[in-house]
Amino acid sequence: MKNWSILAAVMLVVALCPYSAQGIDRKKKEVQPKTTKVVLGKYDELFKNKAHVVAKGGFMTLHKVDGKLFFEMPLKYMGREFLLASTVTSATDNSICVVGYKPRTPRHIKFTLLDSMVCLRNVNSKMTYDKGQAGLEEAMEKNFGDPIVESYRVLAYTPDSSAVVFDMTDMFTKDESSLSPIMPNSGGILSHSASLNKEGSMLTEIKAFEDNVSIKSVLSYLVTTKAMGMLTVKKDDPLTTRVTRTLLLLPENKMRPRITDSRLGIFLGNKVYVSMEEDGIQKYSVANRWRLEPKDMDAWKQGKLVEPVKPIVYYLDNTFPESWKEPLREGILRWNTAFEKIGFKNVVQVRDFPLDDPEFDPDNLKYSCVRYIPSTTANAMGPSWVDPSTGEIINASVLIYNDVIRLINGWRFVQTAQVDPRVRAKKMPDDVVKESLAYVIAHEVGHTLGLMHNMAASAAYPVDSLRSASFTQTYGTTPSIMDYARYNYVAQPGDKGVRLTPPDLGVYDEFVIKWLYTPLPEVEDAMAEVPILEKWLDEKAGDPRYRYGRQQVYARFDPSAIEEDLGDDPVKAGDYGIQNLKYIMSHLNEWLGDDPDGQHRQAMYQAIGNQYYRYLKNVMYNVGGIYLTEVKDGTPGKRFVAVPREVQKNSLKWVIRELKTQNWLTDKELTDKFALGVSLAPTVRYAAAKNVAELYKNVVLSAHVSRDPYTVKEFFDDLYHEVWASTLNNRKLSESEKILQRVIVEVSSEGMEGKKKGLPFLTDEALYLHSGDAFAPSVDEINAYGLDETGMVSRYLDEFREIEQVYGRGFVAAHLENIGNGYGWQRKVTTTAIDDSKVYLQDMLVRVKQLLEGKLSTADKDTKAHYRALILQIEKALKAE
């Protein structure tokens, strides 16, 4: 062992000696300076000798390297919650991608580090639990954790080991469905199928800020668009979009949520609560609202007006027409009146797009913007996006489409031209445009503050009060601008000083702001707030001005909670409205003479027809109608009440009599100047008559819940006597009556034959909704009441009517989609177990057949042919049965 040690020492000396031990090359050599080779770490190797762009912000750094994107995320932010949102920045086709809009709900995510992988997890914010209960936290973590949806290999640590670097390129350059700029394909009216063109897709720009990072990409697609899977609208059309994705760090100090009450129309997020104190797992919801806190709480408690810690700021698009900016600003700022009533000032602010701020980006999730969309869509939208764990609104966008001006001009003309000389023109004057735009933006901003539609509001005021100058100047036309109560179509020619527009804000709107935003510092948590908030609503129970009526789309039960109506009596309001339409029709050529090709007059003529159809439908909803009200036990009101029997009976008679007397809609001197088409009178009569013939389906449920029912038998008796009145009394039939009789027999025969139609392209939900079409809206109702947000039904109305002819009423309605999260639309009720209507339908058809057979011998030639055709159709239906 000793010898081996000596030998090793000798060898070490030889190895360290600069010259050979044998004396070879003993010549003295020049000593070269030593060089130290720098060994790069993995972090530096990632970015060596490459086109490297860095964006370093307050919490995170982005690296763009040779077309790839790397996140450098500090370890201290692992486990923190984020929102990841995608906004359309530009598009080559704005019918598919709307600039400024987020077509997908922002993802609620977090990153965690697991060994050498970064895991992207969806945050499960729906499940909540009693934190004071021992062991429950552990059980919740085991059963309701945050699922991993993606994972990324850690490529390097920063030199100080405080952050990790991982590759996120695919998330922002490939077809990531959760961030797609194209509207989701969810089986609605419109469906898009898109294939990504990889060659036309790339990263473009990265930015980093104090609490968020921004990644911009160009994405190119080939897109095919279909309506209800049947009607091809686009086929492999090229589309290129620029999109901005924002990863926003959510605050650790969460806003206190506010638990909702179904008696108030607010957007919300649904939750589940687990506690052993309750029998079973509980469901509840939290309101969507901005985080509004007084800067000086003591001053606020003393009743002084104080500013909020963080105001709600809307940035106004600089591309708006200049004349629009002032009314848009005025409409937005109206909401400050409501906030002042709860002790806040300067809550809502409007700023122009800053042109000299390098950090400003209207598509970044940090900025809430009002955007101008140059599109033929006649609409406006007010979506918002929230922290799902608390309901805190983080971002809002108001989208104003260019052709909304066409929509409001049409409304103003057909609803107020009888009393307002200013609107008797092809183009509305500036003052009318401005007051209309202010109303539109105020309504949409209401949505971004958390308010849903309240379609019951306009039914709170007596119809005759809407002709009163003193009443309307004080209250407007409705207690809420969140209703679709447009303009005062009740006001008659000669009514002086009557307000024709909705109020700036209604009393209901101000109350919702109070409920949503009043601080309650005297209590400790959200549960302790509930008794106080409930008491505020209890005090308003029974007052129609504060009644909430949810929007009815799939099923329309409640005649007092529909769009485009005014007042508490649709028959009286309809009488006033029809008188006004007749007056406007008689002056159409005079008022719109500056229209050489007649296109504008024809458009207004069609608008008159739509308005008239709405008056008919507003009354029809009474027949089989059921008033619906959210009621708490112990407070005034009932959850559902059938429309009184006499109201239903009189409403049916009113509609049928109207359908017999529509000749005022036919004006040859006017329509001869229009393009070739079918006159309005038979078109409206046919659509309305079909609706009348199917009302018995509604009566089934209404009679079932009524204590003094308008029965199905009575309905058919009234229908028989009203439709066949001239036949029964040996009077000559008018053309109106012939159409009415033909449609009634046609629809009734289909009801008897009970044809089962194929129902392609329906989701499971849509199949359920279509399983019975009682209370479901027809295509014409969808068009008339604006129930289709896409505008496709209106654009292809004739084609959708043909689809409805094949698949039945309710088929198109089943494809309509709910926009936004709230209590949902009023759902349908299946009446199969109580439906004996076919007995009475058959009885009516037998009576009609016998009546017509008895009149054949005395009828004139044309009437005899009409009767024979009806008899044949009835016989076929009865045989099928």
Side-chain angles (χ1 to χ4, degrees), residues 134-153:
L136 196 50
E137 181 176 1
E138 181 181 351
M140 294 296 289
E141 287 178 355
K142 288 180 178 179
N143 288 275
F144 302 107
D146 300 321
I148 297 172
V149 290
E150 299 284 349
S151 60
Y152 311 94
R153 187 165 60 88

PDB file of all heavy atoms in Angstrom, residues 134-153:
ATOM      1  N   ALA A 134     -64.142  22.052  11.356  1.00  0.00           N
ATOM      2  CA  ALA A 134     -62.910  21.260  11.402  1.00  0.00           C
ATOM      3  C   ALA A 134     -62.943  20.154  10.353  1.00  0.00           C
ATOM      4  O   ALA A 134     -63.939  19.457  10.206  1.00  0.00           O
ATOM      5  CB  ALA A 134     -62.718  20.667  12.800  1.00  0.00           C
ATOM      6  N   GLY A 135     -61.831  20.008   9.635  1.00  0.00           N
ATOM      7  CA  GLY A 135     -61.697  18.921   8.680  1.00  0.00           C
ATOM      8  C   GLY A 135     -62.296  19.186   7.323  1.00  0.00           C
ATOM      9  O   GLY A 135     -62.002  18.464   6.357  1.00  0.00           O
ATOM     10  N   LEU A 136     -63.120  20.193   7.205  1.00  0.00           N
ATOM     11  CA  LEU A 136     -63.811  20.416   5.932  1.00  0.00           C
ATOM     12  C   LEU A 136     -62.855  20.938   4.856  1.00  0.00           C
ATOM     13  O   LEU A 136     -62.984  20.590   3.677  1.00  0.00           O
ATOM     14  CB  LEU A 136     -64.973  21.388   6.131  1.00  0.00           C
ATOM     15  CG  LEU A 136     -66.012  21.445   5.006  1.00  0.00           C
ATOM     16  CD1 LEU A 136     -66.504  20.062   4.625  1.00  0.00           C
ATOM     17  CD2 LEU A 136     -67.190  22.319   5.424  1.00  0.00           C
ATOM     18  N   GLU A 137     -61.883  21.745   5.259  1.00  0.00           N
ATOM     19  CA  GLU A 137     -60.926  22.276   4.282  1.00  0.00           C
ATOM     20  C   GLU A 137     -60.166  21.137   3.616  1.00  0.00           C
ATOM     21  O   GLU A 137     -59.997  21.112   2.390  1.00  0.00           O
ATOM     22  CB  GLU A 137     -59.947  23.235   4.954  1.00  0.00           C
ATOM     23  CG  GLU A 137     -58.938  23.828   3.972  1.00  0.00           C
ATOM     24  CD  GLU A 137     -58.022  24.846   4.620  1.00  0.00           C
ATOM     25  OE1 GLU A 137     -58.157  25.082   5.840  1.00  0.00           O
ATOM     26  OE2 GLU A 137     -57.173  25.406   3.903  1.00  0.00           O
ATOM     27  N   GLU A 138     -59.706  20.183   4.408  1.00  0.00           N
ATOM     28  CA  GLU A 138     -58.973  19.048   3.851  1.00  0.00           C
ATOM     29  C   GLU A 138     -59.861  18.230   2.915  1.00  0.00           C
ATOM     30  O   GLU A 138     -59.440  17.811   1.839  1.00  0.00           O
ATOM     31  CB  GLU A 138     -58.443  18.164   4.990  1.00  0.00           C
ATOM     32  CG  GLU A 138     -57.640  16.972   4.487  1.00  0.00           C
ATOM     33  CD  GLU A 138     -57.136  16.095   5.629  1.00  0.00           C
ATOM     34  OE1 GLU A 138     -57.273  16.505   6.808  1.00  0.00           O
ATOM     35  OE2 GLU A 138     -56.615  15.008   5.337  1.00  0.00           O
ATOM     36  N   ALA A 139     -61.108  18.028   3.313  1.00  0.00           N
ATOM     37  CA  ALA A 139     -62.032  17.263   2.470  1.00  0.00           C
ATOM     38  C   ALA A 139     -62.295  17.978   1.144  1.00  0.00           C
ATOM     39  O   ALA A 139     -62.369  17.343   0.079  1.00  0.00           O
ATOM     40  CB  ALA A 139     -63.347  17.036   3.214  1.00  0.00           C
ATOM     41  N   MET A 140     -62.432  19.303   1.183  1.00  0.00           N
ATOM     42  CA  MET A 140     -62.680  20.064  -0.033  1.00  0.00           C
ATOM     43  C   MET A 140     -61.475  19.995  -0.965  1.00  0.00           C
ATOM     44  O   MET A 140     -61.626  19.850  -2.187  1.00  0.00           O
ATOM     45  CB  MET A 140     -63.010  21.514   0.312  1.00  0.00           C
ATOM     46  CG  MET A 140     -64.309  21.702   1.074  1.00  0.00           C
ATOM     47  SD  MET A 140     -65.769  21.223   0.128  1.00  0.00           S
ATOM     48  CE  MET A 140     -65.823  22.548  -1.077  1.00  0.00           C
ATOM     49  N   GLU A 141     -60.264  20.084  -0.400  1.00  0.00           N
ATOM     50  CA  GLU A 141     -59.065  20.022  -1.226  1.00  0.00           C
ATOM     51  C   GLU A 141     -58.938  18.670  -1.916  1.00  0.00           C
ATOM     52  O   GLU A 141     -58.502  18.587  -3.065  1.00  0.00           O
ATOM     53  CB  GLU A 141     -57.828  20.296  -0.368  1.00  0.00           C
ATOM     54  CG  GLU A 141     -57.684  21.753   0.053  1.00  0.00           C
ATOM     55  CD  GLU A 141     -56.480  21.976   0.942  1.00  0.00           C
ATOM     56  OE1 GLU A 141     -55.822  20.977   1.299  1.00  0.00           O
ATOM     57  OE2 GLU A 141     -56.200  23.145   1.282  1.00  0.00           O
ATOM     58  N   LYS A 142     -59.343  17.616  -1.221  1.00  0.00           N
ATOM     59  CA  LYS A 142     -59.240  16.283  -1.806  1.00  0.00           C
ATOM     60  C   LYS A 142     -60.294  16.041  -2.881  1.00  0.00           C
ATOM     61  O   LYS A 142     -60.066  15.282  -3.822  1.00  0.00           O
ATOM     62  CB  LYS A 142     -59.377  15.222  -0.704  1.00  0.00           C
ATOM     63  CG  LYS A 142     -58.179  15.124   0.219  1.00  0.00           C
ATOM     64  CD  LYS A 142     -58.413  14.053   1.277  1.00  0.00           C
ATOM     65  CE  LYS A 142     -57.194  13.913   2.193  1.00  0.00           C
ATOM     66  NZ  LYS A 142     -57.421  12.897   3.244  1.00  0.00           N
ATOM     67  N   ASN A 143     -61.438  16.682  -2.751  1.00  0.00           N
ATOM     68  CA  ASN A 143     -62.552  16.383  -3.651  1.00  0.00           C
ATOM     69  C   ASN A 143     -62.809  17.432  -4.727  1.00  0.00           C
ATOM     70  O   ASN A 143     -63.437  17.137  -5.741  1.00  0.00           O
ATOM     71  CB  ASN A 143     -63.834  16.215  -2.829  1.00  0.00           C
ATOM     72  CG  ASN A 143     -63.845  14.932  -2.043  1.00  0.00           C
ATOM     73  OD1 ASN A 143     -64.211  13.876  -2.548  1.00  0.00           O
ATOM     74  ND2 ASN A 143     -63.420  14.999  -0.773  1.00  0.00           N
ATOM     75  N   PHE A 144     -62.358  18.661  -4.484  1.00  0.00           N
ATOM     76  CA  PHE A 144     -62.657  19.748  -5.422  1.00  0.00           C
ATOM     77  C   PHE A 144     -61.418  20.602  -5.694  1.00  0.00           C
ATOM     78  O   PHE A 144     -61.450  21.817  -5.556  1.00  0.00           O
ATOM     79  CB  PHE A 144     -63.787  20.625  -4.883  1.00  0.00           C
ATOM     80  CG  PHE A 144     -65.065  19.885  -4.621  1.00  0.00           C
ATOM     81  CD1 PHE A 144     -65.466  19.612  -3.314  1.00  0.00           C
ATOM     82  CD2 PHE A 144     -65.861  19.450  -5.670  1.00  0.00           C
ATOM     83  CE1 PHE A 144     -66.639  18.927  -3.059  1.00  0.00           C
ATOM     84  CE2 PHE A 144     -67.033  18.757  -5.419  1.00  0.00           C
ATOM     85  CZ  PHE A 144     -67.429  18.494  -4.120  1.00  0.00           C
ATOM     86  N   GLY A 145     -60.337  19.942  -6.063  1.00  0.00           N
ATOM     87  CA  GLY A 145     -59.109  20.667  -6.346  1.00  0.00           C
ATOM     88  C   GLY A 145     -59.158  21.391  -7.679  1.00  0.00           C
ATOM     89  O   GLY A 145     -60.166  21.397  -8.389  1.00  0.00           O
ATOM     90  N   ASP A 146     -58.048  22.025  -7.999  1.00  0.00           N
ATOM     91  CA  ASP A 146     -57.925  22.767  -9.248  1.00  0.00           C
ATOM     92  C   ASP A 146     -57.288  21.867 -10.301  1.00  0.00           C
ATOM     93  O   ASP A 146     -56.105  21.511 -10.177  1.00  0.00           O
ATOM     94  CB  ASP A 146     -57.072  24.022  -9.042  1.00  0.00           C
ATOM     95  CG  ASP A 146     -57.665  24.954  -8.005  1.00  0.00           C
ATOM     96  OD1 ASP A 146     -58.900  25.086  -7.984  1.00  0.00           O
ATOM     97  OD2 ASP A 146     -56.894  25.547  -7.221  1.00  0.00           O
ATOM     98  N   PRO A 147     -58.010  21.473 -11.343  1.00  0.00           N
ATOM     99  CA  PRO A 147     -57.493  20.487 -12.298  1.00  0.00           C
ATOM    100  C   PRO A 147     -56.368  21.039 -13.178  1.00  0.00           C
ATOM    101  O   PRO A 147     -56.380  22.209 -13.561  1.00  0.00           O
ATOM    102  CB  PRO A 147     -58.725  20.151 -13.147  1.00  0.00           C
ATOM    103  CG  PRO A 147     -59.585  21.365 -13.066  1.00  0.00           C
ATOM    104  CD  PRO A 147     -59.369  21.917 -11.691  1.00  0.00           C
ATOM    105  N   ILE A 148     -55.401  20.201 -13.480  1.00  0.00           N
ATOM    106  CA  ILE A 148     -54.331  20.541 -14.415  1.00  0.00           C
ATOM    107  C   ILE A 148     -54.871  20.385 -15.839  1.00  0.00           C
ATOM    108  O   ILE A 148     -55.423  19.338 -16.198  1.00  0.00           O
ATOM    109  CB  ILE A 148     -53.106  19.630 -14.220  1.00  0.00           C
ATOM    110  CG1 ILE A 148     -52.510  19.833 -12.822  1.00  0.00           C
ATOM    111  CG2 ILE A 148     -52.063  19.881 -15.294  1.00  0.00           C
ATOM    112  CD1 ILE A 148     -51.421  18.832 -12.473  1.00  0.00           C
ATOM    113  N   VAL A 149     -54.732  21.413 -16.651  1.00  0.00           N
ATOM    114  CA  VAL A 149     -55.198  21.354 -18.034  1.00  0.00           C
ATOM    115  C   VAL A 149     -54.055  21.394 -19.045  1.00  0.00           C
ATOM    116  O   VAL A 149     -54.199  20.953 -20.177  1.00  0.00           O
ATOM    117  CB  VAL A 149     -56.199  22.497 -18.330  1.00  0.00           C
ATOM    118  CG1 VAL A 149     -57.503  22.258 -17.597  1.00  0.00           C
ATOM    119  CG2 VAL A 149     -55.637  23.857 -17.957  1.00  0.00           C
ATOM    120  N   GLU A 150     -52.890  21.929 -18.616  1.00  0.00           N
ATOM    121  CA  GLU A 150     -51.692  21.939 -19.457  1.00  0.00           C
ATOM    122  C   GLU A 150     -50.483  21.846 -18.539  1.00  0.00           C
ATOM    123  O   GLU A 150     -50.541  22.216 -17.359  1.00  0.00           O
ATOM    124  CB  GLU A 150     -51.582  23.228 -20.285  1.00  0.00           C
ATOM    125  CG  GLU A 150     -52.711  23.474 -21.263  1.00  0.00           C
ATOM    126  CD  GLU A 150     -52.632  22.610 -22.508  1.00  0.00           C
ATOM    127  OE1 GLU A 150     -51.580  21.957 -22.701  1.00  0.00           O
ATOM    128  OE2 GLU A 150     -53.614  22.584 -23.279  1.00  0.00           O
ATOM    129  N   SER A 151     -49.381  21.364 -19.081  1.00  0.00           N
ATOM    130  CA  SER A 151     -48.134  21.376 -18.316  1.00  0.00           C
ATOM    131  C   SER A 151     -46.982  21.743 -19.239  1.00  0.00           C
ATOM    132  O   SER A 151     -47.017  21.445 -20.445  1.00  0.00           O
ATOM    133  CB  SER A 151     -47.886  20.017 -17.649  1.00  0.00           C
ATOM    134  OG  SER A 151     -47.799  18.994 -18.619  1.00  0.00           O
ATOM    135  N   TYR A 152     -45.963  22.388 -18.672  1.00  0.00           N
ATOM    136  CA  TYR A 152     -44.845  22.906 -19.446  1.00  0.00           C
ATOM    137  C   TYR A 152     -43.546  22.579 -18.718  1.00  0.00           C
ATOM    138  O   TYR A 152     -43.435  22.772 -17.500  1.00  0.00           O
ATOM    139  CB  TYR A 152     -44.961  24.426 -19.618  1.00  0.00           C
ATOM    140  CG  TYR A 152     -46.330  24.860 -20.102  1.00  0.00           C
ATOM    141  CD1 TYR A 152     -47.308  25.233 -19.181  1.00  0.00           C
ATOM    142  CD2 TYR A 152     -46.648  24.867 -21.455  1.00  0.00           C
ATOM    143  CE1 TYR A 152     -48.571  25.615 -19.608  1.00  0.00           C
ATOM    144  CE2 TYR A 152     -47.905  25.251 -21.889  1.00  0.00           C
ATOM    145  CZ  TYR A 152     -48.864  25.622 -20.960  1.00  0.00           C
ATOM    146  OH  TYR A 152     -50.111  25.983 -21.392  1.00  0.00           O
ATOM    147  N   ARG A 153     -42.568  22.106 -19.465  1.00  0.00           N
ATOM    148  CA  ARG A 153     -41.290  21.740 -18.873  1.00  0.00           C
ATOM    149  C   ARG A 153     -40.522  22.992 -18.461  1.00  0.00           C
ATOM    150  O   ARG A 153     -40.440  23.965 -19.217  1.00  0.00           O
ATOM    151  CB  ARG A 153     -40.458  20.924 -19.866  1.00  0.00           C
ATOM    152  CG  ARG A 153     -39.170  20.349 -19.289  1.00  0.00           C
ATOM    153  CD  ARG A 153     -38.606  19.269 -20.210  1.00  0.00           C
ATOM    154  NE  ARG A 153     -38.311  19.805 -21.528  1.00  0.00           N
ATOM    155  CZ  ARG A 153     -37.131  20.367 -21.862  1.00  0.00           C
ATOM    156  NH1 ARG A 153     -36.162  20.465 -20.960  1.00  0.00           N
ATOM    157  NH2 ARG A 153     -36.943  20.812 -23.085  1.00  0.00           N
TER     158      ARG A 153
END
